[in-house]
Amino acid sequence: MSEQPSRSYERFPLARRIEHIIMLLSFTTLALTGLPQKFSSAPVSIAFVGIIGGIENLRRIHHFAAIVMMLGTAWHILVFGYMAYVRRTRLSMLPSLQDIKDGWQALMYNLGFAKSFPQMGRYTFEEKMEYWAFAWGAIIMGATGFMMWNPISTAKFLPGEVIPAAKAVHGGEALLAVLAIIIWHMYGVHIKRFNKSMFTGKMGEDVMLHEHPLELADIKAGLANRPVEPAALRKRQRVYFPIAGVLAVFMLGGVYGFVNAEKTALTTTERRVPTVEVFVPQTPTPAPTLTATLPATETAAPTQTITGATPSTPSTPAVASALTWDNAIGAMLQAKCGICHGAAATAGLNLTTYADAIKGSNSGAVIIPGNAAGSLIVQKQQAGNHPGQLTPEEIAQLIEWINAGALEK
């Protein structure tokens, strides 16, 4: 006689599964577009930025994924409120003292000092750790992301030093989150047990018996997901929906303010820099006449007059560049290079001010006034595939500015 397949129980409804997939995609996109910015000098990062189409495209994708995650977080808060107040679902994801006991027993079991693995309910202590680590990470990433996205607004209330500090915290938390997902979540959920319930919505009775025996016992006893009386449900909905509406407007306003608080130098625009002609008379000035005279003690010789030849056609008007650090070059370099060579001063190079740019990097001067070909910044840009790669037009402007003397004003 063939074995009967074990019974399945619904673990996650469709709405929760869609929410999980959206957060999964946004998190993955943030990781793929954020780590190349943290490790900008790595060859793989440079190659990836080139594939994406440049640092500006990478930032746009990163910002879009951040907006999706913020909206997903807002939705999750509203759903949590509905389940807690309207449905009166048990808040089984909240940490408790029992989770510490379960974690200790699991450790002793894995080390061979305990005879049995702990029996757990709706969520295991591992799942709770992952959930609250994600929640904490979202708060940290949101706060530091706002500071980097809106540095001017941040500096109105906090010291300017918090902005490079936020950049360091943002990158470190991102790396920690990626490693936690790869090492902890992927192994524990998809490799060790290959738990597909977040995608299928169901979990077999044999898996439930092993992973969530206390929840299985509640389901069979009729204690889990008890229906709510229709009258009580409607009464709670009438109270919750207006509150949820106000909260939703408040959170959407927060997201809008996050994105549109200011326009910083991270937005690159094409600049039209005018050139001016230096005044040159149409009638060429003749070369000076030089008269060679012998000393009085020597025999006098006829005076020799050397007259410069007058060109038959006017000389080409000289063109002087109107480019200066203040009117174009400074903003261009800060927009393209500021993420690495701003306050962080990667390799000792800070392009925030003219004085810092002329000072150079740990390797020496990178801008040599009057000598664009010998300037390291031009050599790096002409080599291509730089994390803060300038366009050909911008490189031409940089060369013109340096050859004209690299003027500040």
mmCIF file of all heavy atoms in Angstrom, residues 3 16 120 128 194 198 210 233 245 342 351:
data_model
loop_
_atom_site.group_PDB
_atom_site.id
_atom_site.type_symbol
_atom_site.label_atom_id
_atom_site.label_comp_id
_atom_site.label_asym_id
_atom_site.label_seq_id
_atom_site.Cartn_x
_atom_site.Cartn_y
_atom_site.Cartn_z
ATOM 1 N N GLU A 3 2.145 5.127 0.557
ATOM 2 C CA GLU A 3 1.958 6.072 1.643
ATOM 3 C C GLU A 3 1.095 7.242 1.204
ATOM 4 O O GLU A 3 1.190 7.725 0.088
ATOM 5 C CB GLU A 3 3.319 6.615 2.114
ATOM 6 C CG GLU A 3 4.157 5.590 2.836
ATOM 7 C CD GLU A 3 5.394 6.231 3.422
ATOM 8 O OE1 GLU A 3 5.435 7.487 3.477
ATOM 9 O OE2 GLU A 3 6.297 5.502 3.836
ATOM 10 N N ARG A 16 0.752 38.151 1.890
ATOM 11 C CA ARG A 16 2.034 38.134 2.592
ATOM 12 C C ARG A 16 3.144 37.612 1.695
ATOM 13 O O ARG A 16 4.305 38.046 1.778
ATOM 14 C CB ARG A 16 1.927 37.258 3.848
ATOM 15 C CG ARG A 16 0.859 37.713 4.830
ATOM 16 C CD ARG A 16 1.124 39.121 5.344
ATOM 17 N NE ARG A 16 2.314 39.188 6.158
ATOM 18 C CZ ARG A 16 2.354 38.888 7.453
ATOM 19 N NH1 ARG A 16 1.244 38.485 8.083
ATOM 20 N NH2 ARG A 16 3.469 38.997 8.126
ATOM 21 N N MET A 120 9.012 24.502 19.303
ATOM 22 C CA MET A 120 8.687 25.920 19.122
ATOM 23 C C MET A 120 7.351 26.083 18.429
ATOM 24 O O MET A 120 6.830 25.154 17.811
ATOM 25 C CB MET A 120 9.808 26.609 18.351
ATOM 26 C CG MET A 120 11.096 26.742 19.168
ATOM 27 S SD MET A 120 12.531 27.288 18.220
ATOM 28 C CE MET A 120 13.067 25.747 17.492
ATOM 29 N N LYS A 128 12.661 34.822 14.520
ATOM 30 C CA LYS A 128 12.464 36.099 15.218
ATOM 31 C C LYS A 128 13.735 36.951 15.146
ATOM 32 O O LYS A 128 13.670 38.177 14.959
ATOM 33 C CB LYS A 128 12.075 35.856 16.676
ATOM 34 C CG LYS A 128 10.696 35.237 16.851
ATOM 35 C CD LYS A 128 10.360 35.092 18.324
ATOM 36 C CE LYS A 128 9.009 34.423 18.528
ATOM 37 N NZ LYS A 128 8.651 34.319 19.957
ATOM 38 N N PHE A 194 15.237 23.646 2.859
ATOM 39 C CA PHE A 194 14.522 24.008 1.633
ATOM 40 C C PHE A 194 13.047 24.263 1.929
ATOM 41 O O PHE A 194 12.141 23.611 1.416
ATOM 42 C CB PHE A 194 14.685 22.929 0.559
ATOM 43 C CG PHE A 194 14.298 23.429 -0.807
ATOM 44 C CD1 PHE A 194 14.838 24.595 -1.315
ATOM 45 C CD2 PHE A 194 13.389 22.736 -1.585
ATOM 46 C CE1 PHE A 194 14.484 25.065 -2.560
ATOM 47 C CE2 PHE A 194 13.025 23.196 -2.831
ATOM 48 C CZ PHE A 194 13.580 24.362 -3.336
ATOM 49 N N MET A 198 7.098 30.228 2.017
ATOM 50 C CA MET A 198 6.914 31.640 1.691
ATOM 51 C C MET A 198 6.579 31.839 0.215
ATOM 52 O O MET A 198 6.096 32.895 -0.180
ATOM 53 C CB MET A 198 8.165 32.433 2.067
ATOM 54 C CG MET A 198 8.011 33.938 1.922
ATOM 55 S SD MET A 198 6.553 34.632 2.765
ATOM 56 C CE MET A 198 7.154 34.806 4.430
ATOM 57 N N HIS A 210 8.231 18.899 12.837
ATOM 58 C CA HIS A 210 9.647 19.041 13.157
ATOM 59 C C HIS A 210 10.011 20.477 13.524
ATOM 60 O O HIS A 210 10.775 20.704 14.479
ATOM 61 C CB HIS A 210 10.499 18.593 11.966
ATOM 62 C CG HIS A 210 11.972 18.740 12.206
ATOM 63 N ND1 HIS A 210 12.675 17.945 13.080
ATOM 64 C CD2 HIS A 210 12.875 19.625 11.677
ATOM 65 C CE1 HIS A 210 13.950 18.325 13.083
ATOM 66 N NE2 HIS A 210 14.091 19.345 12.240
ATOM 67 N N LEU A 233 -15.841 42.310 14.272
ATOM 68 C CA LEU A 233 -14.918 42.624 13.179
ATOM 69 C C LEU A 233 -15.254 43.964 12.544
ATOM 70 O O LEU A 233 -14.373 44.814 12.339
ATOM 71 C CB LEU A 233 -14.960 41.505 12.135
ATOM 72 C CG LEU A 233 -14.002 41.650 10.951
ATOM 73 C CD1 LEU A 233 -12.558 41.554 11.424
ATOM 74 C CD2 LEU A 233 -14.293 40.584 9.898
ATOM 75 N N GLY A 245 -5.780 55.169 7.608
ATOM 76 C CA GLY A 245 -5.725 56.139 6.514
ATOM 77 C C GLY A 245 -4.843 57.330 6.857
ATOM 78 O O GLY A 245 -4.021 57.768 6.045
ATOM 79 N N GLY A 342 34.935 63.022 -1.657
ATOM 80 C CA GLY A 342 34.358 64.128 -0.915
ATOM 81 C C GLY A 342 34.952 64.145 0.476
ATOM 82 O O GLY A 342 36.173 64.086 0.654
ATOM 83 N N LEU A 351 37.978 66.440 -3.247
ATOM 84 C CA LEU A 351 37.623 67.390 -4.299
ATOM 85 C C LEU A 351 36.502 68.325 -3.866
ATOM 86 O O LEU A 351 35.798 68.876 -4.702
ATOM 87 C CB LEU A 351 37.223 66.638 -5.574
ATOM 88 C CG LEU A 351 38.331 65.785 -6.204
ATOM 89 C CD1 LEU A 351 37.791 65.001 -7.396
ATOM 90 C CD2 LEU A 351 39.515 66.633 -6.625
#
